[in-house]
Amino acid sequence: MKLIDELYELYRNKLTGDEEDIDMLAFAFLEEMSREDLLKIIQDLDKQELYDLMGLYLIESLKGKFAQDDFGARSVTYPSRNVH
């Protein structure tokens, strides 16, 4: 995906690449994007990129749901990564 390549090139020498840096970069990027901007990016994806995006979303969302069910009684919570 062109966007990922561009973000990587911009920040590869400025960040360590650990999970915290990547989360910070992703959230900062999303905060600056409008709904229309995001839809434009999605429209520009090829079929495989769209499948990858939706696959990752489905996998992570389902993991969160199952984790809530399995561990809800133990008071384990997984914070939402929603930027807004």
Side-chain angles (χ1 to χ4, degrees):
M1 178 189 290
K2 183 179 174 187
L3 171 63
I4 300 303
D5 293 338
E6 290 172 1
L7 287 172
Y8 176 77
E9 286 302 318
L10 280 172
Y11 293 101
R12 73 179 189 171
N13 295 322
K14 297 177 179 131
L15 301 174
T16 63
D18 65 12
E19 189 170 335
E20 188 175 304
D21 278 352
I22 292 169
D23 285 351
M24 179 191 66
L25 176 58
F27 293 144
F29 172 79
L30 289 171
E31 284 178 351
E32 295 299 317
M33 302 300 284
S34 69
R35 185 180 197 297
E36 292 76 23
D37 294 334
L38 295 174
L39 289 172
K40 173 69 173 122
I41 291 170
I42 290 170
Q43 287 176 336
D44 291 343
L45 297 177
D46 65 29
K47 183 177 179 179
Q48 187 60 53
E49 290 171 329
L50 182 59
Y51 280 9
D52 293 346
L53 177 66
M54 289 305 301
L56 184 59
Y57 171 77
L58 290 168
I59 289 166
E60 292 301 319
S61 296
L62 286 169
K63 282 181 185 178
K65 287 286 187 189
F66 279 100
Q68 280 180 324
D69 273 355
D70 290 345
F71 299 110
R74 299 183 204 166
S75 299
V76 175
T77 59
Y78 293 89
S80 173
R81 291 184 151 193
N82 190 353
V83 196
H84 300 294

